[in-house]
């Protein structure tokens, strides 16, 4: 046993001969929060997908819940502090959706929270002013009267519709999303990803397909997806993004069933998934590509990104181990 205060020069990386999943497991046990450890176990380890594993995820998620029905406590790592925020709450709904627990009284409380923080249009701001005074990413400005944001609203509305959750808040929020999506012209990858998350869940499928077809043309015309990972210089990084913060076909179409899958040829998607598989780092985790502004946020974000990378590769039938 090492002497008190002594640390090795470097933490050993997992054996490169191990499967991607085994190397990722090493990384998760080494670095992840309890919530991501429980999520990893639910999705990938023995007994994956069962009720006990889902219960464990729910229990871990509850530690981020706030008294007003939302979620806080840096559940979304780029927003620190104890206050609830729409982005934290959307993240929580995504976790519940992934374990098939997006319903019941918990989600009813969430919808009441969403109603309480909505803008006059009935949509969500990216950041509620209550974040002021707590650390947060400098690229997420805090203003007193924040506007409605498709970035915050689209994924939440799409997810609730996909889970057949009905609440009065959804009516106006859905109208906002339709108007925002169908009026998009110049855009950026995160906004497009929020739009497709809405379209993948909304009940009006013919209208969703038509809107998605238009967005796909926009993505290709504006070169928002890096279609050739071997030639990234050919694809501009959107203003305000970190250097090298490209988005790839698999970022838009996380599962084959997504409407965004039709935006890309089989060859383009194969190149994208090859790149995603190669992007696993020596320590077993996947990298964070957006701008990092504090050591803790990067450490907490990488296990989240790693779980999503593995889920995407598995959804497309790629071998992960």
């Amino acid at each position: 046993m090492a002497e008190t205060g002594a640390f090795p020069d470097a933490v050993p990386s997992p054996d490169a001969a191990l499967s991607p999943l085994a190397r990722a497991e090493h990384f998760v046990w080494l670095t992840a929060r309890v919530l991501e450890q429980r999520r990893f176990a639910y999705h990938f380890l023995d007994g994956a997908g069962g009720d006990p594993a889902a219960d464990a995820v729910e229990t871990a998620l509850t530690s981020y819940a706030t008294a007003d029905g939302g979620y806080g406590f840096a559940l979304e790592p780029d927003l620190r502090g104890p206050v609830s925020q729409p982005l934290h709450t959307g993240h929580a709904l995504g976790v519940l959706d992934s374990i098939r627990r997006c319903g019941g009284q918990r989600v009813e409380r969430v919808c009441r929270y969403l109603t309480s923080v909505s803008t006059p249009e009935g949509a969500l701001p990216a950041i509620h002013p209550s974040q002021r005074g707590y650390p947060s990413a400098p690229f997420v400005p805090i203003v007193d009267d924040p506007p409605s944001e498709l970035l915050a609203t689209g994924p939440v509305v799409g997810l609730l519709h996909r889970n057949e959750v009905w609440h009065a808040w959804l009516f106006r929020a859905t109208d906002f999303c339709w108007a925002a999506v169908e009026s998009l012209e110049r855009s950026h990858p995160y906004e497009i990803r929020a739009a497709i998350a809405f379209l993948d869940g909304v009940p009006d499928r013919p209208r969703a397909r038509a809107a998605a077809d238009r967005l796909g043309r926009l993505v290709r015309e504006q070169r928002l997806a890096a279609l050739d990972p071997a030639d990234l210089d050919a694809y501009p990084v959107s203003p305000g993004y970190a250097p090298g913060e490209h988005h790839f076909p698999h970022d838009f179409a996380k599962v084959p069933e997504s409407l965004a899958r039709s935006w890309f040829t089989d060859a383009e998607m194969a190149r994208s998934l090859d790149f995603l598989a190669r992007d696993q780092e020596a320590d077993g985790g996947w990298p964070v590509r957006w701008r990092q502004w504090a050591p803790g946020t990067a450490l907490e974000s990488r296990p989240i990104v790693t779980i999503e990378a593995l889920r995407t590769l598995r959804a497309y039938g790629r071998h992960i181990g």
Side-chain angles (χ1 to χ4, degrees):
M1 184 173 180
E3 297 178 4
T4 302
F7 294 92
D9 291 335
V11 176
S13 294
D15 186 342
L18 295 174
S19 69
L21 183 61
R23 286 183 283 138
E25 182 180 356
H26 174 95
F27 173 76
V28 167
W29 293 136
L30 178 66
T31 67
R33 305 180 297 189
V34 172
L35 175 59
E36 281 70 53
Q37 292 178 29
R38 293 298 197 179
R39 291 189 66 206
F40 187 90
Y42 173 87
H43 289 294
F44 303 111
L45 300 186
D46 290 342
D51 285 341
D55 290 343
V57 174
E58 278 204 82
T59 299
L61 183 63
T62 298
S63 66
Y64 296 90
T66 54
D68 59 7
Y71 289 81
F73 299 98
L75 177 57
E76 169 56 55
D78 279 330
L79 301 178
R80 317 304 291 184
V83 295
S84 54
Q85 287 291 326
L87 290 180
H88 292 314
T89 306
H91 188 121
L93 287 173
V95 171
L96 292 170
D97 177 59
S98 74
I99 62 171
R100 301 180 177 88
R101 294 283 179 90
C102 191
Q105 291 186 351
R106 182 192 291 262
V107 174
E108 175 67 26
R109 290 194 298 271
V110 166
C111 288
R112 288 199 296 268
Y113 163 76
L114 297 176
T115 302
S116 73
V117 296
S118 290
T119 67
E121 294 175 285
L124 298 175
I127 304 295
H128 190 270
S130 60
Q131 183 66 33
R132 186 174 282 108
Y134 297 102
S136 61
F139 48 80
V140 187
I142 302 170
V143 297
D144 289 332
D145 188 19
S148 299
E149 293 278 2
L150 179 62
L151 193 68
T153 314
V156 169
V157 172
L159 186 152
L160 292 176
H161 278 304
R162 186 168 66 250
N163 285 276
E164 299 183 344
V165 173
W166 292 103
H167 188 274
W169 176 77
L170 269 175
F171 291 99
R172 293 186 66 202
T174 300
D175 288 342
F176 166 81
C177 289
W178 276 124
V181 168
E182 292 177 335
S183 64
L184 279 179
E185 294 298 338
R186 297 298 304 177
S187 190
H188 59 93
Y190 287 119
E191 189 172 49
I192 295 294
R193 288 171 59 175
I196 200 65
F198 166 71
L199 295 174
D200 277 343
V202 75
D204 190 340
R205 303 315 297 156
R207 187 177 179 184
R209 284 190 290 271
D213 288 346
R214 191 183 75 85
L215 288 187
R217 292 192 295 271
L218 183 151
V219 164
R220 298 186 76 91
E221 290 166 2
Q222 297 180 19
R223 303 178 72 80
L224 299 181
L227 302 179
D228 184 0
D231 187 20
L232 292 180
D233 289 342
Y235 300 92
V237 174
S238 294
Y241 284 32
E245 191 179 353
H246 292 95
H247 290 244
F248 302 89
H250 66 261
D251 290 312
F252 298 96
K254 292 182 177 293
V255 295
E257 298 79 21
S258 172
L259 291 173
R261 175 61 185 87
S262 66
W263 300 351
F264 310 108
T265 67
D266 290 346
E268 289 166 347
M269 184 58 70
R271 286 197 297 268
S272 181
L273 293 168
D274 288 344
F275 175 83
L276 179 61
R278 292 194 306 269
D279 213 25
Q280 187 176 21
E281 297 189 331
D283 62 6
W286 267 260
V288 170
R289 296 193 171 276
W290 62 86
R291 193 179 305 277
Q292 296 303 298
W293 58 280
T297 62
L299 183 65
E300 292 177 358
S301 296
R302 285 192 67 208
I304 299 172
V305 171
T306 295
I307 290 169
E308 294 311 309
L310 290 168
R311 292 183 68 202
T312 294
L313 289 168
R314 185 171 65 180
Y316 280 94
R318 293 299 184 100
H319 174 73
I320 59 174

Coordinates of all heavy atoms in Angstrom, one line a residue, residues 199-264:
L199 N -38.7 16.2 -33.5 CA -39.4 15.6 -34.6 C -39.4 14.0 -34.4 O -40.4 13.4 -34.9 CB -38.7 15.9 -35.9 CG -38.7 17.4 -36.3 CD1 -37.9 17.7 -37.5 CD2 -40.2 17.8 -36.5
D200 N -38.4 13.5 -33.8 CA -38.4 12.0 -33.6 C -39.5 11.5 -32.6 O -39.9 10.4 -32.6 CB -37.1 11.5 -33.1 CG -36.1 11.4 -34.2 OD1 -36.5 11.3 -35.4 OD2 -34.8 11.3 -33.9
G201 N -40.1 12.5 -31.8 CA -41.0 12.1 -30.8 C -42.4 12.6 -31.0 O -43.4 12.0 -30.5
V202 N -42.6 13.7 -31.8 CA -43.9 14.3 -31.9 C -44.9 13.4 -32.7 O -44.5 12.7 -33.6 CB -43.7 15.7 -32.6 CG1 -43.5 15.5 -34.1 CG2 -44.9 16.6 -32.4
P203 N -46.2 13.4 -32.3 CA -47.1 12.5 -32.9 C -47.4 12.7 -34.3 O -47.7 11.7 -35.0 CB -48.4 12.7 -32.0 CG -47.9 13.3 -30.7 CD -46.7 14.1 -31.1
D204 N -47.4 13.9 -34.9 CA -47.8 14.1 -36.3 C -46.6 13.7 -37.2 O -45.8 14.4 -37.5 CB -48.1 15.6 -36.5 CG -48.7 15.9 -37.8 OD1 -48.5 15.0 -38.8 OD2 -49.3 16.9 -38.0
R205 N -46.6 12.4 -37.5 CA -45.5 11.8 -38.3 C -45.3 12.4 -39.7 O -44.2 12.6 -40.1 CB -45.6 10.3 -38.3 CG -45.6 9.6 -36.9 CD -44.6 10.2 -35.9 NE -43.3 10.0 -36.3 CZ -42.3 10.8 -36.0 NH1 -42.5 11.8 -35.2 NH2 -41.0 10.5 -36.4
P206 N -46.4 12.5 -40.5 CA -46.2 13.1 -41.8 C -45.6 14.5 -41.7 O -44.7 14.8 -42.5 CB -47.6 13.1 -42.4 CG -48.3 12.0 -41.7 CD -47.8 12.1 -40.3
R207 N -46.1 15.3 -40.8 CA -45.5 16.7 -40.7 C -44.1 16.6 -40.2 O -43.2 17.4 -40.7 CB -46.4 17.5 -39.7 CG -46.0 19.0 -39.6 CD -46.9 19.7 -38.7 NE -46.5 21.1 -38.6 CZ -47.2 22.0 -37.7 NH1 -48.2 21.6 -37.0 NH2 -46.8 23.2 -37.7
A208 N -43.8 15.7 -39.3 CA -42.4 15.5 -38.8 C -41.5 15.1 -39.9 O -40.3 15.6 -40.0 CB -42.4 14.5 -37.7
R209 N -41.9 14.2 -40.8 CA -41.0 13.7 -41.9 C -40.8 14.8 -42.8 O -39.6 15.0 -43.3 CB -41.7 12.5 -42.6 CG -41.5 11.2 -41.8 CD -42.0 10.0 -42.6 NE -43.4 10.0 -42.8 CZ -44.3 9.4 -42.0 NH1 -43.9 8.8 -40.9 NH2 -45.6 9.4 -42.3
A210 N -41.8 15.6 -43.1 CA -41.6 16.8 -44.1 C -40.6 17.8 -43.5 O -39.7 18.3 -44.2 CB -42.9 17.4 -44.4
A211 N -40.7 18.1 -42.2 CA -39.8 19.0 -41.5 C -38.4 18.5 -41.5 O -37.4 19.2 -41.7 CB -40.3 19.4 -40.1
A212 N -38.3 17.2 -41.2 CA -37.0 16.6 -41.2 C -36.3 16.6 -42.5 O -35.1 16.8 -42.6 CB -37.1 15.1 -40.6
D213 N -37.0 16.3 -43.6 CA -36.5 16.4 -44.9 C -35.9 17.7 -45.2 O -34.8 17.9 -45.8 CB -37.5 16.0 -46.0 CG -37.9 14.5 -46.0 OD1 -37.2 13.7 -45.3 OD2 -38.9 14.2 -46.6
R214 N -36.6 18.8 -44.8 CA -36.1 20.1 -45.1 C -34.8 20.4 -44.2 O -33.9 21.0 -44.7 CB -37.2 21.2 -44.7 CG -36.8 22.6 -45.2 CD -37.9 23.6 -44.7 NE -37.8 23.9 -43.3 CZ -37.0 24.8 -42.8 NH1 -36.2 25.5 -43.6 NH2 -37.0 25.0 -41.5
L215 N -34.8 19.9 -43.0 CA -33.7 20.1 -42.1 C -32.5 19.4 -42.7 O -31.3 19.8 -42.6 CB -34.0 19.7 -40.7 CG -34.9 20.6 -39.9 CD1 -34.9 20.0 -38.4 CD2 -34.5 22.0 -39.9
G216 N -32.7 18.2 -43.2 CA -31.6 17.4 -43.8 C -30.9 18.2 -44.9 O -29.7 18.2 -45.0
R217 N -31.7 18.8 -45.8 CA -31.1 19.6 -46.9 C -30.3 20.8 -46.3 O -29.3 21.1 -46.8 CB -32.3 20.1 -47.8 CG -32.9 18.9 -48.6 CD -33.8 19.5 -49.7 NE -34.9 20.2 -49.2 CZ -36.1 19.7 -48.9 NH1 -36.3 18.4 -48.9 NH2 -37.1 20.4 -48.4
L218 N -30.9 21.4 -45.3 CA -30.2 22.5 -44.6 C -28.9 22.1 -44.0 O -27.8 22.8 -44.2 CB -31.1 23.1 -43.5 CG -30.7 24.4 -42.8 CD1 -31.9 25.1 -42.3 CD2 -29.8 24.0 -41.6
V219 N -28.8 20.9 -43.4 CA -27.6 20.4 -42.8 C -26.5 20.2 -43.8 O -25.4 20.6 -43.7 CB -27.9 19.1 -42.0 CG1 -26.6 18.3 -41.7 CG2 -28.6 19.4 -40.7
R220 N -26.9 19.7 -45.0 CA -25.9 19.4 -46.0 C -25.5 20.7 -46.7 O -24.3 20.9 -47.0 CB -26.5 18.4 -47.0 CG -26.8 17.0 -46.4 CD -27.2 16.0 -47.4 NE -26.1 15.5 -48.2 CZ -25.3 14.5 -47.9 NH1 -25.6 13.8 -46.8 NH2 -24.3 14.1 -48.6
E221 N -26.5 21.6 -47.0 CA -26.1 22.9 -47.6 C -25.2 23.7 -46.8 O -24.3 24.3 -47.3 CB -27.4 23.7 -47.9 CG -28.3 23.0 -49.0 CD -29.6 23.6 -49.1 OE1 -29.9 24.6 -48.2 OE2 -30.5 23.2 -49.9
Q222 N -25.4 23.7 -45.5 CA -24.6 24.5 -44.6 C -23.4 23.8 -44.0 O -22.7 24.3 -43.2 CB -25.5 25.1 -43.4 CG -26.6 26.0 -44.0 CD -27.5 26.6 -42.9 OE1 -27.1 26.6 -41.7 NE2 -28.6 27.0 -43.3
R223 N -23.2 22.5 -44.4 CA -22.1 21.7 -44.0 C -22.0 21.6 -42.5 O -20.9 21.8 -41.9 CB -20.8 22.3 -44.6 CG -20.8 22.4 -46.1 CD -19.6 22.9 -46.7 NE -18.4 22.0 -46.7 CZ -18.3 21.0 -47.5 NH1 -19.1 20.7 -48.4 NH2 -17.2 20.2 -47.3
L224 N -23.1 21.4 -41.9 CA -23.1 21.3 -40.4 C -22.7 19.9 -39.9 O -22.4 19.8 -38.7 CB -24.6 21.6 -39.9 CG -25.1 23.0 -40.2 CD1 -26.5 23.2 -39.7 CD2 -24.2 24.1 -39.7
A225 N -22.7 18.9 -40.8 CA -22.2 17.6 -40.4 C -20.9 17.3 -41.1 O -20.9 17.5 -42.4 CB -23.3 16.5 -40.7
A226 N -19.9 16.8 -40.4 CA -18.7 16.4 -41.0 C -18.8 15.1 -41.7 O -18.9 14.0 -40.9 CB -17.6 16.4 -40.0
L227 N -19.0 15.0 -43.0 CA -19.3 13.8 -43.7 C -18.1 12.9 -43.9 O -18.2 11.7 -44.2 CB -20.0 14.1 -45.0 CG -21.3 14.9 -44.8 CD1 -21.9 15.1 -46.2 CD2 -22.3 14.2 -43.9
D228 N -16.9 13.5 -43.8 CA -15.7 12.8 -44.1 C -14.7 13.1 -42.9 O -14.0 14.1 -42.9 CB -15.0 13.2 -45.4 CG -13.8 12.3 -45.7 OD1 -13.4 11.5 -44.9 OD2 -13.2 12.6 -46.8
P229 N -14.7 12.2 -41.9 CA -13.8 12.5 -40.7 C -12.3 12.6 -41.1 O -11.5 13.2 -40.3 CB -14.0 11.3 -39.8 CG -15.4 10.8 -40.2 CD -15.5 11.0 -41.7
A230 N -11.9 12.1 -42.3 CA -10.5 12.2 -42.7 C -10.2 13.6 -43.3 O -9.0 13.8 -43.5 CB -10.2 11.1 -43.7
D231 N -11.2 14.4 -43.5 CA -11.0 15.7 -44.1 C -11.8 16.8 -43.3 O -12.6 17.5 -43.9 CB -11.4 15.7 -45.6 CG -11.0 17.0 -46.3 OD1 -10.1 17.7 -45.8 OD2 -11.6 17.3 -47.3
L232 N -11.5 16.9 -42.0 CA -12.3 17.8 -41.2 C -12.1 19.3 -41.5 O -13.0 20.1 -41.3 CB -12.0 17.6 -39.7 CG -12.4 16.2 -39.2 CD1 -12.0 16.1 -37.7 CD2 -13.9 16.0 -39.3
D233 N -11.0 19.6 -42.2 CA -10.7 21.0 -42.6 C -11.8 21.5 -43.6 O -12.0 22.7 -43.8 CB -9.3 21.2 -43.2 CG -8.3 21.1 -42.1 OD1 -8.6 21.2 -40.9 OD2 -7.1 20.8 -42.5
A234 N -12.4 20.5 -44.2 CA -13.4 20.9 -45.2 C -14.8 21.3 -44.6 O -15.7 21.8 -45.3 CB -13.7 19.8 -46.2
Y235 N -14.9 21.2 -43.3 CA -16.2 21.4 -42.6 C -16.0 22.5 -41.6 O -15.2 22.3 -40.6 CB -16.7 20.1 -42.0 CG -17.0 19.1 -43.0 CD1 -16.0 18.1 -43.3 CD2 -18.1 19.0 -43.7 CE1 -16.1 17.2 -44.3 CE2 -18.3 18.0 -44.7 CZ -17.3 17.1 -45.0 OH -17.5 16.2 -45.9
P236 N -16.6 23.6 -41.7 CA -16.4 24.7 -40.8 C -17.0 24.4 -39.4 O -18.0 23.7 -39.3 CB -17.2 25.9 -41.4 CG -18.2 25.2 -42.2 CD -17.6 24.0 -42.7
V237 N -16.3 24.9 -38.4 CA -16.8 24.8 -37.0 C -17.7 26.0 -36.8 O -17.4 27.2 -37.1 CB -15.7 24.8 -36.0 CG1 -16.2 24.9 -34.6 CG2 -14.8 23.6 -36.2
S238 N -18.9 25.8 -36.2 CA -19.9 26.9 -36.1 C -19.3 28.0 -35.1 O -18.6 27.7 -34.2 CB -21.2 26.3 -35.5 OG -21.8 25.5 -36.4
P239 N -19.7 29.2 -35.4 CA -19.3 30.3 -34.5 C -19.6 30.1 -33.0 O -20.7 29.6 -32.7 CB -20.0 31.5 -35.0 CG -20.3 31.2 -36.5 CD -20.5 29.7 -36.5
G240 N -18.6 30.4 -32.2 CA -18.8 30.2 -30.7 C -18.5 28.8 -30.2 O -18.4 28.5 -29.0
Y241 N -18.3 27.8 -31.2 CA -17.9 26.5 -30.8 C -16.4 26.4 -30.5 O -15.7 27.3 -30.9 CB -18.3 25.5 -31.9 CG -19.8 25.1 -32.0 CD1 -20.8 26.1 -31.7 CD2 -20.2 23.9 -32.4 CE1 -22.1 25.7 -31.8 CE2 -21.5 23.6 -32.5 CZ -22.5 24.5 -32.2 OH -23.8 24.2 -32.3
A242 N -16.0 25.4 -29.8 CA -14.6 25.2 -29.5 C -13.9 24.7 -30.7 O -14.5 24.2 -31.7 CB -14.4 24.1 -28.4
P243 N -12.6 25.0 -30.8 CA -11.8 24.6 -32.0 C -11.9 23.0 -32.1 O -11.8 22.3 -31.2 CB -10.4 25.0 -31.6 CG -10.5 26.1 -30.7 CD -11.8 25.8 -29.9
G244 N -12.3 22.6 -33.3 CA -12.4 21.2 -33.6 C -13.7 20.6 -33.1 O -13.9 19.3 -33.1
E245 N -14.7 21.4 -32.7 CA -16.0 20.9 -32.2 C -16.9 20.6 -33.4 O -17.9 21.2 -33.6 CB -16.6 21.9 -31.3 CG -17.8 21.3 -30.5 CD -18.4 22.3 -29.6 OE1 -17.9 23.4 -29.4 OE2 -19.5 22.0 -29.0
H246 N -16.5 19.5 -34.2 CA -17.3 19.1 -35.3 C -18.4 18.2 -34.8 O -18.4 17.6 -33.7 CB -16.5 18.4 -36.3 CG -15.5 19.2 -37.0 ND1 -14.1 19.3 -36.6 CD2 -15.6 20.0 -38.1 CE1 -13.5 20.2 -37.4 NE2 -14.3 20.6 -38.3
H247 N -19.5 18.1 -35.6 CA -20.5 17.1 -35.4 C -20.6 16.2 -36.6 O -20.4 16.6 -37.8 CB -21.9 17.9 -35.2 CG -21.9 18.6 -33.9 ND1 -22.8 18.3 -32.8 CD2 -21.1 19.6 -33.4 CE1 -22.5 19.1 -31.8 NE2 -21.5 19.9 -32.1
F248 N -21.0 15.0 -36.3 CA -20.9 13.9 -37.3 C -22.3 13.3 -37.5 O -23.2 13.5 -36.7 CB -19.9 12.9 -36.9 CG -18.5 13.4 -36.7 CD1 -18.1 13.9 -35.4 CD2 -17.6 13.4 -37.7 CE1 -16.9 14.4 -35.2 CE2 -16.3 14.0 -37.5 CZ -16.0 14.5 -36.3
P249 N -22.5 12.5 -38.6 CA -23.8 11.9 -38.8 C -24.4 11.2 -37.6 O -25.6 11.3 -37.3 CB -23.6 11.0 -40.0 CG -22.5 11.7 -40.8 CD -21.6 12.3 -39.8
H250 N -23.5 10.5 -36.8 CA -24.0 9.8 -35.7 C -24.5 10.7 -34.6 O -25.2 10.3 -33.7 CB -23.0 8.8 -35.1 CG -21.7 9.5 -34.6 ND1 -20.6 9.6 -35.3 CD2 -21.5 10.0 -33.4 CE1 -19.7 10.2 -34.6 NE2 -20.2 10.5 -33.4
D251 N -24.0 12.0 -34.5 CA -24.5 12.9 -33.5 C -25.9 13.3 -33.8 O -26.7 13.7 -32.9 CB -23.6 14.2 -33.5 CG -22.2 13.9 -33.0 OD1 -22.1 13.2 -31.9 OD2 -21.2 14.3 -33.6
F252 N -26.3 13.3 -35.0 CA -27.7 13.7 -35.4 C -28.6 12.5 -35.4 O -29.8 12.6 -34.9 CB -27.7 14.3 -36.8 CG -26.9 15.6 -36.9 CD1 -25.6 15.6 -37.4 CD2 -27.5 16.8 -36.5 CE1 -24.9 16.8 -37.4 CE2 -26.7 18.0 -36.6 CZ -25.4 18.0 -37.0
A253 N -28.2 11.4 -35.9 CA -29.0 10.2 -36.0 C -28.4 9.2 -35.0 O -27.6 8.3 -35.3 CB -29.0 9.6 -37.4
K254 N -28.7 9.3 -33.7 CA -28.1 8.5 -32.7 C -28.6 7.0 -32.7 O -27.9 6.1 -32.2 CB -28.4 9.1 -31.3 CG -27.7 10.4 -31.0 CD -28.0 10.9 -29.6 CE -27.3 12.2 -29.4 NZ -25.8 12.0 -29.3
V255 N -29.7 6.8 -33.4 CA -30.3 5.4 -33.6 C -30.7 5.3 -35.0 O -31.1 6.4 -35.6 CB -31.4 5.1 -32.6 CG1 -30.9 5.1 -31.1 CG2 -32.6 6.1 -32.8
P256 N -30.7 4.1 -35.6 CA -31.1 4.0 -37.0 C -32.6 4.4 -37.2 O -32.9 4.8 -38.4 CB -31.0 2.5 -37.2 CG -30.0 2.0 -36.2 CD -30.3 2.9 -35.0
E257 N -33.4 4.4 -36.2 CA -34.8 4.8 -36.4 C -35.0 6.3 -36.5 O -36.1 6.8 -36.8 CB -35.7 4.2 -35.2 CG -35.7 2.7 -35.1 CD -34.4 2.2 -34.5 OE1 -33.7 2.9 -33.8 OE2 -34.1 1.0 -34.7
S258 N -34.0 7.1 -36.2 CA -34.2 8.5 -36.2 C -34.5 9.0 -37.6 O -34.0 8.5 -38.6 CB -32.9 9.2 -35.7 OG -33.0 10.6 -35.9
L259 N -35.3 10.1 -37.7 CA -35.6 10.7 -39.0 C -34.3 11.2 -39.6 O -34.2 11.4 -40.9 CB -36.6 11.8 -38.8 CG -38.0 11.4 -38.5 CD1 -38.9 12.6 -38.2 CD2 -38.7 10.5 -39.6
A260 N -33.3 11.6 -38.8 CA -32.1 12.1 -39.3 C -31.2 11.1 -40.1 O -30.3 11.4 -40.8 CB -31.2 12.7 -38.2
R261 N -31.5 9.8 -39.9 CA -30.8 8.7 -40.6 C -30.8 8.9 -42.1 O -29.9 8.6 -42.8 CB -31.2 7.4 -40.1 CG -30.6 6.2 -40.9 CD -29.1 6.2 -40.6 NE -28.4 5.1 -41.4 CZ -28.0 5.3 -42.7 NH1 -28.2 6.5 -43.3 NH2 -27.4 4.3 -43.3
S262 N -32.0 9.3 -42.6 CA -32.1 9.5 -44.1 C -31.3 10.6 -44.6 O -31.2 10.7 -45.9 CB -33.6 9.7 -44.4 OG -34.1 10.9 -43.9
W263 N -30.7 11.5 -43.8 CA -29.9 12.6 -44.3 C -28.6 12.1 -44.9 O -27.9 12.8 -45.6 CB -29.7 13.6 -43.2 CG -30.9 14.2 -42.6 CD1 -32.2 14.1 -43.0 CD2 -30.9 15.0 -41.4 NE1 -33.0 14.8 -42.1 CE2 -32.2 15.4 -41.1 CE3 -29.9 15.4 -40.5 CZ2 -32.6 16.2 -40.1 CZ3 -30.3 16.2 -39.4 CH2 -31.6 16.6 -39.2
F264 N -28.2 10.9 -44.5 CA -26.8 10.4 -44.8 C -26.9 9.1 -45.5 O -27.7 8.2 -45.3 CB -26.0 10.3 -43.5 CG -26.1 11.5 -42.6 CD1 -26.9 11.4 -41.4 CD2 -25.5 12.7 -42.9 CE1 -27.0 12.5 -40.6 CE2 -25.6 13.8 -42.1 CZ -26.3 13.7 -41.0

